[in-house]
Amino acid sequence: MKILITGGAGFVGSHLADKLIAEGHEITVVDDFSTGRYSNVAHLEGRSDFRLIVDTVLNAKLMEELIRDSDRVFHMASAVGVRLIMEQPVQTIETIFRGTDIVLGFCSRYRKRVLIPSTSEVYGKGTSVPFREDDDIQKGSTSKHRWAYACAKELDEFLALAFWKETRLPVVVVRLFNTVGPRQTGQYGMVVPRFVKSAVNNEPITVYGDGEQSRCFGHVSDVVEGLTTLIETPKCFGRVINIGNPEEISIKGLAEKAIEMTGSSSEIEFIPYEEVYGAGFEDMKRRVPCIDRANELIGFKPTRTLDDIINDVAAEFQDSKSSTAESA
Ligand code: UDP
């Protein structure tokens, strides 16, 4: 099949491209490198079944041509990371909502199967875990920029479901919980690459707040397995589906684990949220997925643990450390 991956040079998108190419598909990636990186797809360049187009999903003319020529569309392009969202709220809202509007419109016009990733951020401030897809949602005030990301993604969800309702567009909406693994950068605030990199370098690990907040981390290889199965399963169309790993850990516990597993001498430093993100920042206290729906629909079950994730991410940083040392 011909498969279009918007944001295909990003962390999740590039793993998706690898998997689909290995399965024998022809892949087109469109990415503007806003948060994606050429290095994530450099190994695919030159292959006859891979095409990279450096452009934005807001280029409607281009998107129309690409969608018309595709059999499947994975719309992975998005602003990502709490740091970016706090610093560039306009870009966050516009890339997310306008990009999805363009993609869904053309997928509807040309009747293409499309997957729209959403986020566990949409669950907002609720603490009654695990989070189920049909739960009511409570978010913060519009003066707190963090919630702009969740609200923009929620609007994407509404639009996707509206297209399904009105035109039977074959669309599946996936709420991704914290997805991690090799190629993820800590540059936009993501905790696992930041902690593991600091641990590998024996530098201080910075825990924001008291570290009692928790997250559940899913390995990117489990996640892309889920995504590729969902788009091929028609009973998933018009549904919102959680994908993640319910194994929960506090952020302080994560710091300790990263230190222990890498044999690091790093110290843990606690930093108040406002020093990092400014006054009035609101974090999510807990975020645990209920994955019953994904399990019932596609038999989804994560196979990689947090230990696997830390090992894989540490191996990547150790490799890049030794190649930097060799070239120095
Ligand atoms: N976090 C931290 N130190 C860091 C980066 C993140 O303590 O260097 C915390 C952050 O405050 C949050 C959790 O780790 O409570 C997960 O952060 P991330 O940005 O990875 O994802 P999200 O908040 O979107 O779940």
Side-chain angles (χ1 to χ4, degrees):
M1 280 190 294
K2 289 184 175 175
I3 300 183
L4 174 65
I5 307 177
T6 72
F11 160 54
V12 182
S14 65
H15 283 278
L16 197 54
D18 284 346
K19 177 170 193 287
L20 293 168
I21 281 198
E23 289 173 0
H25 302 290
E26 260 178 60
I27 304 300
T28 298
V29 159
V30 57
D31 201 303
D32 64 358
F33 295 145
S34 49
T35 56
R37 291 185 293 181
Y38 176 70
S39 60
N40 288 343
V41 289
H43 60 287
L44 299 175
E45 278 263 76
R47 294 180 59 117
S48 58
D49 49 6
F50 178 78
R51 179 167 60 139
L52 171 66
I53 297 171
V54 182
D55 210 323
T56 164
V57 291
L58 302 181
N59 180 344
K61 193 168 168 290
L62 171 72
M63 292 311 293
E64 176 166 17
E65 280 165 30
L66 295 178
I67 290 171
R68 197 182 48 213
D69 291 343
S70 303
D71 302 303
R72 302 281 185 268
V73 179
F74 289 87
H75 178 44
M76 310 307 290
S78 178
V80 287
V82 177
R83 174 155 298 174
L84 182 74
I85 286 144
M86 295 301 289
E87 285 167 6
Q88 298 177 9
V90 173
Q91 192 198 323
T92 298
I93 297 167
E94 293 194 343
T95 324
I96 293 175
F97 184 66
R98 284 173 51 202
T100 303
D101 185 26
I102 289 170
V103 167
L104 286 172
F106 290 127
C107 286
S108 174
R109 182 175 305 170
Y110 296 106
R111 309 305 303 162
K112 303 296 179 176
R113 284 192 191 189
V114 54
L115 182 140
I116 302 291
S118 180
T119 165
S120 55
E121 282 266 327
V122 300
Y123 289 106
K125 299 200 218 189
T127 50
S128 147
V129 294
F131 293 140
R132 290 169 199 279
E133 291 87 345
D134 294 331
D135 286 348
D136 283 340
I137 289 167
Q138 191 208 348
K139 289 197 206 53
S141 126
T142 48
S143 60
K144 311 241 162 83
H145 290 298
R146 180 202 181 114
W147 302 112
Y149 176 68
C151 287
K153 285 286 189 181
E154 206 177 334
L155 197 51
D156 280 4
E157 291 193 13
F158 274 121
L159 190 64
L161 297 178
F163 269 108
W164 162 254
K165 183 165 186 245
E166 288 187 26
T167 73
R168 280 292 177 261
L169 171 69
V171 57
V172 52
V173 175
V174 185
R175 286 190 185 151
L176 294 177
F177 283 67
N178 295 64
T179 303
V180 287
R183 294 186 196 152
Q184 187 176 42
T185 159
Q187 200 183 339
Y188 306 108
M190 276 72 155
V191 69
V192 168
R194 292 173 67 80
F195 282 11
V196 176
K197 188 175 186 186
S198 300
V200 166
N201 292 327
N202 296 309
E203 287 163 3
I205 292 190
T206 53
V207 168
Y208 305 157
D210 62 8
E212 293 305 320
Q213 72 274 28
S214 72
R215 292 294 185 271
C216 295
F217 298 97
H219 194 292
V220 66
S221 66
D222 283 331
V223 170
V224 298
E225 182 66 41
L227 300 183
T228 53
T229 313
L230 286 169
I231 206 169
E232 295 309 324
T233 311
K235 62 185 171 191
C236 299
F237 299 155
R239 306 296 304 270
V240 175
I241 301 165
N242 288 340
I243 288 285
N245 184 334
E247 186 187 346
E248 187 179 18
I249 187 164
S250 73
I251 296 304
K252 182 163 163 261
L254 177 72
E256 289 162 353
K257 202 182 224 327
I259 291 172
E260 189 198 314
M261 287 186 59
T262 55
S264 167
S265 58
S266 294
E267 305 277 331
I268 298 178
E269 279 176 7
F270 292 87
I271 304 185
Y273 284 116
E274 51 276 19
E275 260 180 45
V276 190
Y277 294 123
F281 178 78
E282 285 179 331
D283 200 3
M284 288 177 76
K285 192 78 189 133
R286 292 179 76 188
R287 197 191 268 172
V288 182
C290 167
I291 53 169
D292 291 354
R293 183 174 288 179
N295 185 258
E296 278 155 27
L297 288 167
I298 59 163
F300 178 76
K301 220 172 165 207
T303 59
R304 313 280 189 104
T305 62
L306 181 57
D307 283 19
D308 296 330
I309 291 170
I310 293 178
N311 279 331
D312 285 1
V313 174
E316 186 188 34
F317 286 127
Q318 261 141 3
D319 282 354
S320 73
K321 205 174 149 185
S322 39
S323 53
T324 317
E326 273 162 29
S327 59

